[in-house]
Amino acid sequence: MTSLLEMRSITKTFPGVKALDQVNLDVKEGEIHAICGENGAGKSTLMKVLSGVYPAGSYDGEIHYDGQVAEFRNISDSENKGIIIIHQELALVPLLSIAENLFLGNERAANGVINWRDTFQRTEQLLQKVGLKEAPSTLIETLGVGKQQLVEIAKALSKEVRLLILDEPTAALSESDSQALLDLMLELKAQGVTQIIISHKLNEVRRVADTVTVIRDGTSVSTMSAASGDITEDRIVHDMVGRDMSDRYPARPRNPSDILMEVNNWNVWHPEHADRQMIKDVNFHVRKGEVVGIAGLMGSGRTELAMSIFGRSYGRNIGGEVQLHGKSADVSQIDRAIDAGLAYVTEDRKSLGLVLDETIRTNITLANLGDVSNAGVINEHEETQVSEKYRGAMNIRTPSVFQKVVNLSGGNQQKVVLSKWLFAQPEVLILDEPTRGIDVGAKFEIYGIINELAAQGKGVVMISSEMPELLGMCDRIYVMNEGELVGELTAEEASQERIMSLIVTE
Amino acid sequence: MGMEQTNTSLGAYFKHHLREYGLLIALIAIMVFFQIMTNGTLLKPVNITNLFLQNSYIIIMALGMLVVIVAGHIDLSVGSVMGFVGAFAAVMIVEWNMPVGVTMIAALVVGGFIGAAQGYFVAYWKIPSFIVTLAAMLVFRGLSLWLLEGQSVGPFPREFQLISTGFVGDIFPASLSQTLADIAGSRNFNVLSMALGVIAVALIIWMGMRDRARNARYGIQGEPQAFFVVRTAIVSFALLFVMFKLSTFRGLPNVLVSMVVLTVVYAFLTANTTIGRRIYALGGNEKAAKLSGIKTERLTFLAFVNMGILAALAGLIFAARLNTATPKAGFAVELDVIAAVFIGGASMSGGSGKIIGAVVGAFIMGVMNNGMSILGIGIDYQQVIKGLVLLAAVFFDVYNKNKQG
């Protein structure tokens, strides 16, 4: 097979940082090529070099594309050659229709007048190709993330794509949507579209990839191919982190003691549609030193449950009781919930968890400024010491706590959020998707932190869409579906099959 | 990629803090420019005094506006509110014969209530501040016209005028004052203002060094020594120079004292207190702030109450200086105030900006106004130039950010 794309000895430096160091990437015509690496390893930088976001001349090394040396000066240069990237954050206009989005900037028009008949017809063809059964006039905002992803792919197909690059395409998708997307990738491959997939989900990589290139610390460390049968998850993990990870879930002594928090008859209605009940008669409890999981599909009400408990930050007409240490606790406002000993780590750390433009220090102390201040005046030196302590303890990889968190990798950002909540001295932590979008190494560290918290006698409620993670970490797992808890399993009883069957047979 | 490096070389540090130093350098450059162009009129004692008198109300409102903008909002009503409160005070004093003290307190309370009314809609009903304050701008412009019945109301008793045009009396013996006046070659010399200047400089140097020593003890990398020395030297020299000039005229204007005190108080509030920190967090990411237990609605509300009180104070000072309240008072002043804050480096999207930046921004505008007026440049060109300076300052910001990013 001939190579469609060869990137040779790509080196890209930013002031003070060598982001890429002699990276090689060889993508054959018609294959699916996976790029794996921890967050911050340099995957996104490499793709930006490829697509011309970093123009030719701003990096060292050569790009050979379709048998020629390519020097892209901007994104439209690379798009004209058929290289199209679909980013993690989708770039669709929510208030425009599917058809309008597909041909945005590339309208089917003569002299600036749009030919709607042609537009809709072509849209239908493209939607059929990607297997999306929606009318071309449907507004994007009414579609779920999975379907939006398909629209993005259809958009790429409308541009005569030769090399399609998918950056973490399934990160925000449910299990079934992910499977559908992977099937689509295989189908596109059959039609001759070469693809690059960047993903943390190794089972998916193994399923679709013909070749895997692993990048670590800005260098390409290995390439494996499916043909010779040497793609295994263990090997990828080993190359990504540079060490063996015999156990992905660190062990901890499991000895939960007294009941710490109890939630009784919890009912919540939708904040806008007052007649829609989002949470129905939920009862659950957490013991000291226990990690309790809440499993369920997206939209099953897990986040709504957590946020409504945490200071009524979601929903209306909230009814029910929260007990801490057997006594009724006031969690009616967020600051009271924090005072009562609750902490909630949101699933969306960028928009709900962090003040991105502020420093690590500011973020860590935000939920508990009282402990670093005196009569309302902040003691900056104490604040620095406290945050330095967490930087060390949580292994946040930056030279100082004065870095803005916007510049940190996902794993480091999540550690900042966790530090913030640990500094608030909670007794019960509710962690909503604590490892989403985080690489394997940082995940392992976060699991370690969770174990440490349990060992200190805190109660941890862990919401996650990754079942292996729940199975690996939790003492007990509640299964949630459509706003109700439909089952409770101990660690011994739980398995992916049992959880799924509880969800489906409810 | 590993560690994210901080480069500590002087050049890199300067680049990183280009905005802060740039502002100071810009102010100095503008002053030098006009000093030369006006053949030394700009920095004459009487003109320096005028600079403070002319700009005090803008600076006082810029303090409140910075807080509002950091919180992620805007207040278009401050000019109208300022005019309305001035009119209200004038009517109280001149037509109702109320005592000055009572009037001032009443005026500040009225300002606070006006701010509270706007803050209520912005904070608790989530109506965009642009709309609420635009409405208030129209309402209070109309109410001042109504209150004054379209006329100017004045003059005021002397004690009221003094808040704006008065000077702090000297406490040192006249003989000492006379001796120094002879040395300085001026008609009189206000020893108190010179002494305060020297004390202020000593304080600035002492606090700067104490902070550096503390940072070093905690292992925090701060400003490089060379920058600290140069910056402190420039600031100290400028301060002594201005105080010397003021001393050879009539000493410290009362309004300068209130301005300095307010600036120091607000700089401390925003930089060193929990409430200040929370306002920055609110502007940076309201949802994250809220989920961290911060009462974001109440803070937004308070930011507007505070703005209302400061606008009222500005209204009193403005009326006192003109010795009359006119229906046109405060017209389009909100634009100068907002421009000062943005020139000072605040971000439109909230979450960043400094008090000292807003004050320097206001001075940049003020010196340009004053300098261009002395040169006899028409109001038409003045507007154009001020507009371009605002655009240039913000462009410089964005350009820098893009280069760093």
Side-chain angles (χ1 to χ4, degrees):
Chain A
M1 262 196 296
T2 52
S3 294
L4 176 65
L5 171 76
E6 261 188 274
M7 300 180 81
R8 291 185 197 154
S9 309
I10 304 290
T11 299
K12 168 82 186 161
T13 46
F14 295 107
V17 189
K18 208 171 206 179
L20 296 176
D21 189 6
Q22 305 274 339
V23 173
N24 294 305
L25 181 68
D26 183 359
V27 180
K28 305 279 186 224
E29 183 97 49
E31 72 166 352
I32 296 182
H33 194 118
I35 300 178
C36 296
E38 294 192 295
N39 282 338
K43 295 165 300 187
S44 305
T45 314
L46 186 67
M47 290 304 110
K48 283 179 178 168
V49 166
L50 172 57
S51 59
V53 172
Y54 300 130
S58 71
Y59 56 86
D60 296 323
E62 282 184 351
I63 301 177
H64 292 256
Y65 179 71
D66 202 13
Q68 290 171 333
V69 175
E71 292 190 336
F72 301 129
R73 282 158 304 161
N74 50 46
I75 297 179
S76 50
D77 268 7
S78 61
E79 283 201 351
N80 287 338
K81 297 269 182 189
I83 301 177
I84 292 177
I85 296 195
I86 296 177
H87 291 282
Q88 219 170 331
E89 282 95 17
L90 299 177
L92 298 171
V93 186
L95 288 172
L96 292 183
S97 68
I98 296 179
E100 285 167 310
N101 268 286
L102 281 191
F103 294 100
L104 200 61
N106 183 26
E107 289 83 0
R108 316 271 70 202
N111 302 321
V113 180
I114 293 176
N115 181 344
W116 286 110
R117 200 164 295 143
D118 185 26
T119 305
F120 280 114
Q121 206 178 5
R122 300 260 326 231
T123 304
E124 295 222 11
Q125 290 166 1
L126 289 166
L127 291 185
Q128 212 163 15
K129 258 193 192 168
V130 298
L132 179 58
K133 293 183 191 70
E134 290 285 343
S137 58
T138 311
L139 295 189
I140 293 295
E141 66 166 359
T142 63
L143 302 179
V145 200
K147 288 182 175 175
Q148 291 191 19
Q149 190 77 255
L150 295 179
V151 174
E152 281 276 13
I153 293 174
K155 188 174 173 183
L157 295 180
S158 77
K159 293 181 189 161
E160 316 289 322
V161 60
R162 290 196 61 196
L163 176 59
L164 181 64
I165 301 164
L166 296 133
D167 189 359
E168 305 254 2
T170 62
L173 298 193
S174 68
E175 191 67 21
S176 58
D177 281 352
S178 302
Q179 293 308 322
L181 185 86
L182 297 175
D183 288 339
L184 177 61
M185 287 185 69
L186 292 170
E187 202 180 307
L188 292 174
K189 177 182 140 189
Q191 292 171 19
V193 180
T194 312
Q195 294 161 80
I196 293 177
I197 177 175
I198 296 174
S199 181
H200 285 137
K201 298 190 181 166
L202 302 183
N203 52 344
E204 297 178 355
V205 167
R206 216 180 33 146
R207 208 184 124 192
V208 297
D210 301 299
T211 316
V212 177
T213 296
V214 178
I215 295 181
R216 183 173 76 229
D217 296 332
T219 56
S220 38
V221 290
S222 65
T223 299
M224 319 159 201
S225 92
S228 54
D230 58 359
I231 300 182
T232 66
E233 286 185 36
D234 285 344
R235 222 190 121 191
I236 299 174
V237 170
H238 173 270
D239 288 349
M240 276 169 68
V241 296
R243 62 179 186 278
D244 276 310
M245 251 204 289
S246 49
D247 196 346
R248 267 193 247 176
Y249 305 101
R252 70 164 182 276
R254 303 196 173 190
N255 44 8
S257 57
D258 306 341
I259 290 184
L260 183 54
M261 179 176 81
E262 209 171 344
V263 175
N264 297 319
N265 304 317
W266 201 252
N267 283 290
V268 180
W269 273 264
H270 194 278
E272 276 116 42
H273 312 291
D275 54 337
R276 253 176 83 191
Q277 190 168 3
M278 300 304 289
I279 303 292
K280 293 165 205 151
D281 287 321
V282 164
N283 294 283
F284 73 95
H285 67 269
V286 193
R287 292 174 182 278
K288 280 185 180 172
E290 189 181 36
V291 180
V292 174
I294 299 184
L297 301 176
M298 285 206 189
S300 59
R302 297 168 304 175
T303 297
E304 288 78 3
L305 172 64
M307 288 184 79
S308 60
I309 292 171
F310 186 65
R312 306 203 171 159
S313 44
Y314 172 89
R316 61 155 81 178
N317 296 338
I318 295 169
E321 189 199 26
V322 175
Q323 288 193 348
L324 282 159
H325 298 293
K327 276 183 241 142
S328 185
D330 182 4
V331 294
S332 59
Q333 288 177 16
I334 294 169
D335 53 341
R336 291 184 193 165
I338 294 172
D339 288 344
L342 290 191
Y344 170 61
V345 176
T346 61
E347 64 177 325
D348 186 344
R349 63 180 160 266
K350 279 188 183 169
S351 73
L352 300 178
L354 294 166
V355 186
L356 286 173
D357 255 344
E358 288 285 359
T359 59
I360 295 172
R361 183 180 77 160
T362 302
N363 274 285
I364 287 180
T365 55
L366 195 58
N368 189 15
L369 275 173
D371 271 13
V372 288
S373 61
N374 207 330
V377 178
I378 296 171
N379 182 337
E380 292 210 9
H381 299 294
E382 202 181 320
E383 193 188 10
T384 306
Q385 279 185 318
V386 163
S387 33
E388 282 289 355
K389 190 186 91 191
Y390 280 101
R391 184 177 70 88
M394 307 285 264
N395 197 14
I396 301 170
R397 291 193 198 87
T398 57
S400 84
V401 294
F402 297 101
Q403 300 277 318
K404 286 186 176 179
V405 292
V406 67
N407 299 324
L408 306 183
S409 66
N412 279 331
Q413 285 182 344
Q414 188 68 324
K415 290 180 199 164
V416 174
V417 179
L418 281 171
S419 304
K420 170 172 88 174
W421 287 112
L422 292 190
F423 180 55
Q425 324 287 353
E427 292 184 78
V428 177
L429 286 103
I430 306 174
L431 312 177
D432 200 347
E433 304 281 3
T435 64
R436 167 175 294 175
I438 289 179
D439 57 64
V440 183
K443 270 185 186 175
F444 190 81
E445 287 181 281
I446 296 217
Y447 297 143
I449 294 165
I450 293 173
N451 283 347
E452 174 65 18
L453 292 173
Q456 288 168 10
K458 299 193 190 298
V460 178
V461 179
M462 187 167 167
I463 297 171
S464 176
S465 295
E466 288 188 35
M467 276 190 240
E469 172 176 285
L470 289 178
L471 296 171
M473 290 297 299
C474 298
D475 299 306
R476 264 184 316 129
I477 299 174
Y478 290 99
V479 181
M480 193 159 190
N481 193 32
E482 295 185 354
E484 289 179 84
L485 291 185
V486 293
E488 180 186 346
L489 301 166
T490 61
E492 294 75 33
E493 301 169 329
S495 67
Q496 296 211 27
E497 291 73 24
R498 289 201 63 172
I499 293 175
M500 274 319 288
S501 73
L502 275 169
I503 292 174
V504 202
T505 56
E506 195 266 331
Chain B
M1 273 199 282
M3 294 278 209
E4 282 137 67
Q5 292 293 321
T6 40
N7 201 328
T8 48
S9 77
L10 288 187
Y13 183 86
F14 183 70
K15 258 191 204 150
H16 202 73
H17 296 263
L18 196 54
R19 191 60 167 95
E20 289 138 57
Y21 295 110
L23 206 59
L24 194 61
I25 293 168
L27 178 63
I28 293 169
I30 289 170
M31 290 186 81
V32 169
F33 174 78
F34 281 111
Q35 173 72 358
I36 295 168
M37 294 300 288
T38 59
N39 295 322
T41 310
L42 184 81
L43 293 181
K44 281 204 171 129
V46 58
N47 197 50
I48 291 183
T49 307
N50 268 338
L51 260 175
F52 288 126
L53 295 186
Q54 281 168 3
N55 292 299
S56 53
Y57 67 99
I58 302 256
I59 288 167
I60 286 171
M61 287 199 287
L63 301 175
M65 189 64 78
L66 179 102
V67 174
V68 168
I69 286 176
V70 164
H73 294 282
I74 193 91
D75 191 341
L76 301 174
S77 73
V78 292
S80 292
V81 172
M82 167 192 146
F84 173 76
V85 173
F88 173 75
V91 169
M92 269 187 86
I93 293 175
V94 177
E95 293 179 6
W96 305 346
N97 292 315
M98 300 294 271
V100 169
V102 175
T103 305
M104 286 177 58
I105 290 168
L108 294 178
V109 170
V110 166
F113 273 111
I114 293 172
Q118 302 186 61
Y120 170 74
F121 288 111
V122 175
Y124 296 104
W125 289 95
K126 314 278 179 223
I127 302 176
S129 54
F130 190 94
I131 294 170
V132 171
T133 61
L134 182 64
M137 171 177 156
L138 295 169
V139 167
F140 289 102
R141 177 63 51 210
L143 285 180
S144 350
L145 264 171
W146 167 77
L147 200 57
L148 297 172
E149 293 165 348
Q151 312 283 312
S152 293
V153 173
F156 299 118
R158 204 177 133 60
E159 47 175 327
F160 183 68
Q161 290 176 43
L162 283 181
I163 61 171
S164 204
T165 53
F167 291 83
V168 181
D170 208 340
I171 50 166
F172 291 91
S175 57
L176 177 61
S177 164
Q178 194 52 50
T179 323
L180 288 170
D182 290 341
I183 298 171
S186 62
R187 237 179 316 139
N188 46 28
F189 196 92
N190 187 304
V191 188
L192 176 67
S193 44
M194 195 66 229
L196 285 176
V198 174
I199 293 171
V201 166
L203 265 177
I204 286 174
I205 295 175
W206 177 67
M207 278 169 51
M209 303 226 313
R210 191 190 58 171
D211 248 28
R212 288 184 67 78
R214 265 203 203 148
N215 281 350
R217 206 159 355 118
Y218 284 86
I220 303 169
Q221 272 181 356
E223 194 178 32
Q225 181 103 25
F227 281 103
F228 172 73
V229 170
V230 171
R231 186 177 52 86
T232 309
I234 292 176
V235 170
S236 305
F237 173 78
L239 197 62
L240 286 175
F241 178 82
V242 166
M243 293 311 264
F244 173 76
K245 290 285 184 178
L246 289 178
S247 303
T248 61
F249 188 55
R250 297 175 60 184
L252 277 180
N254 286 341
V255 22
L256 178 60
V257 177
S258 24
M259 211 176 78
V260 169
V261 169
L262 283 174
T263 303
V264 170
V265 167
Y266 277 89
F268 181 77
L269 272 177
T270 52
N272 295 312
T273 66
T274 52
I275 192 163
R277 175 67 61 79
R278 286 173 180 156
I279 288 173
Y280 281 91
L282 155 69
N285 186 344
E286 181 172 0
K287 288 176 186 162
K290 195 169 180 158
L291 282 173
S292 299
I294 293 171
K295 295 194 182 303
T296 51
E297 282 103 356
R298 187 186 293 172
L299 274 183
T300 306
F301 176 75
L302 289 177
F304 278 93
V305 173
N306 175 60
M307 182 72 251
I309 295 171
L310 289 176
L313 179 61
L316 292 174
I317 289 173
F318 189 78
R321 188 165 76 88
L322 291 188
N323 199 16
T324 177
T326 75
K328 290 215 77 167
F331 185 73
V333 163
E334 62 277 353
L335 301 179
D336 279 353
V337 174
I338 292 168
V341 173
F342 286 135
I343 288 177
S347 144
M348 184 80 207
S349 52
S352 73
K354 283 187 178 156
I355 283 290
I356 195 70
V359 171
V360 173
F363 269 115
I364 287 180
M365 297 282 280
V367 169
M368 286 192 346
N369 277 337
N370 181 278
M372 289 191 290
S373 296
I374 297 172
L375 287 177
I377 294 175
I379 193 82
D380 41 4
Y381 290 116
Q382 287 200 21
Q383 300 275 3
V384 173
I385 293 170
K386 272 168 27 181
L388 292 178
V389 166
L390 170 62
L391 184 63
V394 177
F395 172 76
F396 186 67
D397 248 5
V398 173
Y399 178 78
N400 259 330
K401 245 186 211 149
N402 285 349
K403 245 175 57 178
Q404 278 174 12

